Amino acid sequence: MVRYDIAIIGTGPAGISAAVTAKIRGKNIILLGNKNLSDKITRASKIENYTALPDISGSELAQHLHSHLESLEIDITDRRVSTVYAMGSYFAIQADEEIIEANSVIVASGVMQGKTLKGEKELLGSGVSYCATCDARLYRGRKVAVIGYSDDSAKEAEFLSEIVSEVLFFPMKNGVVPEVRTNIKIINEIPREISGEKTTSGVVTDENEYAADCVFVLRDSVLPDTLVPGLETDGSHIKVDLQMRTNISGVFACGDIAGKPYQYIKAAGQGNVAALSAVEYLSHTSKNNS
Ligand SMILES: Cc1cc2nc3c(=O)[nH]c(=O)nc-3n(C[C@H](O)[C@H](O)[C@H](O)COP(=O)(O)OP(=O)(O)OC[C@H]3O[C@@H](n4cnc5c(N)ncnc54)[C@H](O)[C@@H]3O)c2cc1C
């Protein structure tokens, strides 16, 4: 198995900037995220404060970022990372169904909007899942729920419906609903709670309670301490120093996930610093190992 020098999680300005700098510094990198980049880029109608690119639209900025990646032959690996495990001298990254190994990690996953649901954190791993590809097989022939905050949640629900007996789909993003609906039931109610004592029993809305053996909560981002267990956070942000180092040696964070202000240019600048810090970290660890 290839062990990358640096795994970069996130395809917003922070992750792309980190990838560009790390590649220019000659590192073997993998950039994990979304081939369409971040929807926080593509949705912006007009950006006035990105240095050297005045009055640009989000889709134009996305084109520039794509071109920059292409010019350096950096591919985006279209995968959702659910967990990063510290293995001692390296990191194992669960990206959909695949495990990827890297000597260092840069987390540039953006900030999670909104709060977690009541019961979500307590039941995570006991019937609450953030990854349909990873956990679908555990619920073969059973009834599950999908709370769909992300763009890909409709496709994930369709995938689940091929394995489980029934999918209850709660659409949380405008226009994102499964097309194939043989055993998918759309429920247009707002989930308030995931119920259950030791294991998950269902979803509670303002109007009803729905039984389900597993609840897949599919967001564009996950909470940082869920993504990398043991990371020091202040809730929704990862604590970093000025070199973008976290409390875990070899893990760096940049962009919105590293705190306010939420700005493109700040995210890109921090991505550059995180990559340079990762390069320095790798030079120390390779000296110590030789
Ligand atoms: C409508 C809108 C307009 C804006 N206008 C401006 C503006 O004019 N000027 C300005 O400076 N800022 C603006 N912002 C703020 C700006 O968008 C953010 O500060 C910036 O995008 C943050 O970049 P980032 O790289 O940290 O994170 P993001 O852009 O949020 O990118 C995070 C990326 O990580 C990926 N990701 C997340 N979790 C995972 C995972 N587990 N596995 C794999 N990939 C993952 C996501 O899919 C995404 O691609 C605007 C935001 C919005 C929503």
Side-chain angles (χ1 to χ4, degrees):
M1 182 193 274
V2 182
R3 184 172 298 170
Y4 294 95
D5 293 323
I6 311 175
I8 298 159
I9 304 168
T11 40
I16 292 170
S17 164
V20 163
T21 296
K23 186 74 194 268
I24 289 170
R25 294 299 295 259
K27 295 300 157 198
N28 180 19
I29 62 164
I30 182 164
L31 175 60
L32 296 151
N34 189 327
K35 288 238 186 246
N36 296 324
L37 307 188
S38 159
D39 63 1
K40 286 197 192 146
I41 300 174
T42 45
R43 274 206 224 147
S45 51
K46 193 176 176 196
I47 302 161
E48 294 179 314
N49 65 341
Y50 199 91
T51 314
L53 296 172
D55 280 346
I56 192 170
S57 70
S59 53
E60 284 166 331
L61 179 61
Q63 278 170 20
H64 281 288
L65 293 168
H66 273 301
S67 308
H68 204 164
L69 290 175
E70 273 162 31
S71 70
L72 291 167
E73 296 179 356
I74 301 171
D75 287 329
I76 295 173
T77 303
D78 212 323
R79 295 269 160 74
R80 179 142 301 273
V81 174
S82 47
T83 319
V84 176
Y85 302 97
M87 306 298 287
S89 60
Y90 72 98
F91 297 91
I93 298 147
Q94 177 84 53
D96 292 332
E97 70 278 29
E98 199 186 340
I99 297 280
I100 290 161
E101 292 184 2
N103 289 321
S104 64
V105 176
I106 295 176
V107 183
S109 54
V111 78
M112 193 184 103
Q113 304 291 340
K115 289 186 179 159
T116 52
L117 294 160
K118 192 174 169 203
E120 179 181 329
K121 281 187 117 179
E122 295 79 357
L123 291 164
L124 185 63
S126 302
V128 170
S129 171
Y130 293 148
C131 176
T133 316
C134 313
D135 292 338
R137 276 180 282 278
L138 301 175
Y139 296 94
R140 186 178 294 282
R142 293 159 74 183
K143 184 170 166 180
V144 305
V146 171
I147 305 182
Y149 296 97
S150 64
D151 283 331
D152 61 2
S153 55
K155 287 276 164 259
E156 294 289 86
E158 287 172 11
F159 159 72
L160 275 166
S161 72
E162 292 165 16
I163 295 168
V164 304
S165 64
E166 189 182 7
V167 178
L168 306 176
F169 187 84
F170 296 82
M172 303 303 290
K173 193 161 194 177
N174 270 349
V176 178
V177 279
E179 284 166 18
V180 184
R181 297 189 196 166
T182 330
N183 54 345
I184 302 178
K185 192 168 164 189
I186 312 290
I187 300 172
N188 288 307
E189 295 173 27
I190 310 279
R192 299 290 178 203
E193 181 182 344
I194 299 176
S195 56
E197 287 292 320
K198 289 198 172 119
T199 56
T200 298
S201 56
V203 176
V204 182
T205 70
D206 286 337
E207 289 120 274
N208 291 296
E209 179 161 1
Y210 296 91
D213 293 324
C214 181
V215 180
F216 291 89
V217 185
L218 304 181
R219 295 195 179 86
D220 286 322
S221 316
V222 292
L223 282 173
D225 51 352
T226 307
L227 190 64
V228 190
L231 261 191
E232 215 181 310
T233 71
D234 66 4
S236 47
H237 300 134
I238 300 171
K239 288 191 180 172
V240 289
D241 65 12
L242 287 174
Q243 273 64 50
M244 303 295 119
R245 289 181 293 223
T246 70
N247 64 311
I248 300 177
S249 183
V251 178
F252 305 84
C254 50
D256 285 4
I257 192 72
K260 288 182 178 174
Y262 299 154
Q263 293 279 280
Y264 297 118
I265 199 78
K266 174 261 193 187
Q270 287 190 337
N272 165 268
V273 177
L276 293 174
S277 296
V279 170
E280 194 190 342
Y281 165 82
L282 291 167
S283 73
H284 286 303
T285 49
S286 65
K287 265 186 223 145
N288 292 340
N289 294 337
S290 57

